[in-house]
Amino acid sequence: MTVHLVGAGPGDPELITVRGLELVRACDVLVADALVAQELVDEAPDDALVISRRGMTQEAVTRLLVAYGAAGLDVVRLKGGDPFVFGRGGEETLALAEAGIDFEVVPGVSSIAAVPASALIPVTHRGVSDRVTIASGHGADDGEPDYASLAAAGGTLVLFMGLERLDRLCAGLVRAGLPASTPAAVVSRGTLPDQESVSGCLDDLPDLAEGLASPALVVVGDVVAIGAQITSATANASPAAV
Ligand code: SAH
């Protein structure tokens, strides 16, 4: 009799946690995000009430969780990646806590590092990048991100929800002081069978990424060049001698 906020992982349905899957398989009500794999939604019991979050306002979702939680049902709120990374999990948890409803947060594999990794880009690399800044590609209230602080952050930048405004993002970072030659990549639909990625630099990334599908993550920094190195070493490797 709890509302479980469960991270579904970055896309590939096999990347949910064991605990997350157990909860999905035992729930009374499943409220699933649009980004969540259908295979995971299909894991809910046949008699569970399955609700898609698509088209619902955040307020309506929160009200629903509080109402089903108060009714004593086992509710799974299944979210893409990790519930507490750009997932509004904090808001939902706060509402549940304030309403006195029992809840649990089950972390998920966030796209933060998993999606770059799916394109062989390590977000940190010894001697190259010792920090990662994650940010939304659009700032508060759909405004521009704080380019000056992003450009000054050093290390790797991982930008969420940035594909639609990639032109402005790259130009903003260059205006704020990052060299136009800074390595940068877009990974589209990471960990899914139709994953695609492109890498270049801030200057040419918008052209290279033309036509890529959502969801997509933007990675900026020298680790992108390490990713390219791993990819070409893999392609050129001769089979290991046994
Ligand atoms: N809670 C999620 C993030 C939700 S915000 C997490 O922890 O991963 C949605 C954004 O996440 C998308 O716009 C995109 O930038 C990124 N994203 C999520 N899944 C992705 C995937 N499979 N491939 C590329 N980007 C992804």
Side-chain angles (χ1 to χ4, degrees):
M1 268 92 85
T2 304
V3 179
H4 311 268
L5 274 81
V6 176
D12 179 342
E14 295 200 340
L15 293 177
I16 191 171
T17 62
V18 173
R19 172 150 185 73
L21 185 56
E22 275 172 2
L23 288 166
V24 169
R25 286 179 172 158
C27 70
D28 300 312
V29 181
L30 179 69
V31 184
D33 267 357
L35 275 185
V36 165
Q38 185 60 39
E39 289 92 328
L40 291 177
V41 175
D42 292 343
E43 290 284 345
D46 287 344
D47 58 351
L49 176 61
V50 175
I51 300 168
S52 165
R53 185 238 188 275
R54 199 187 292 266
M56 288 173 75
T57 63
Q58 181 60 48
E59 292 65 32
V61 174
T62 306
R63 271 200 306 275
L64 208 68
L65 297 180
V66 169
Y68 285 124
L73 297 171
D74 258 320
V75 183
V76 167
R77 170 73 177 103
L78 193 57
K79 288 169 173 289
D82 182 90
F84 275 14
V85 178
F86 293 124
R88 306 192 72 164
E91 288 161 64
E92 292 173 12
T93 309
L94 195 57
L96 292 163
E98 284 171 356
I101 312 276
D102 214 25
F103 66 86
E104 177 196 19
V105 179
V106 179
V109 176
S110 174
S111 56
I112 294 175
V115 163
S118 68
L120 298 177
I121 300 170
V123 289
T124 65
H125 191 80
R126 199 157 56 91
V128 173
S129 171
D130 64 359
R131 75 201 75 164
V132 182
T133 301
I134 69 164
S136 164
H138 45 85
D141 298 327
D142 219 24
E144 291 295 310
D146 179 355
Y147 292 115
S149 70
L150 290 177
T156 306
L157 300 178
V158 175
L159 304 174
F160 286 69
M161 299 168 276
L163 184 64
E164 297 72 24
R165 53 175 74 194
L166 193 57
D167 263 330
R168 269 151 64 191
L169 272 181
C170 292
L173 291 171
V174 171
R175 241 187 354 263
L178 283 187
S181 58
T182 307
V186 173
V187 186
S188 154
R189 302 185 57 76
T191 79
L192 292 163
D194 56 349
Q195 170 180 325
E196 282 187 90
S197 64
V198 293
S199 68
C201 58
L202 284 176
D203 225 9
D204 60 9
L205 193 65
D207 282 342
L208 293 171
E210 192 78 40
L212 287 187
S214 282
L217 209 63
V218 183
V219 188
V220 180
D222 290 335
V223 289
V224 170
I226 302 291
Q229 222 176 308
I230 298 173
T231 304
S232 82
T234 311
N236 297 328
S238 36
V242 273

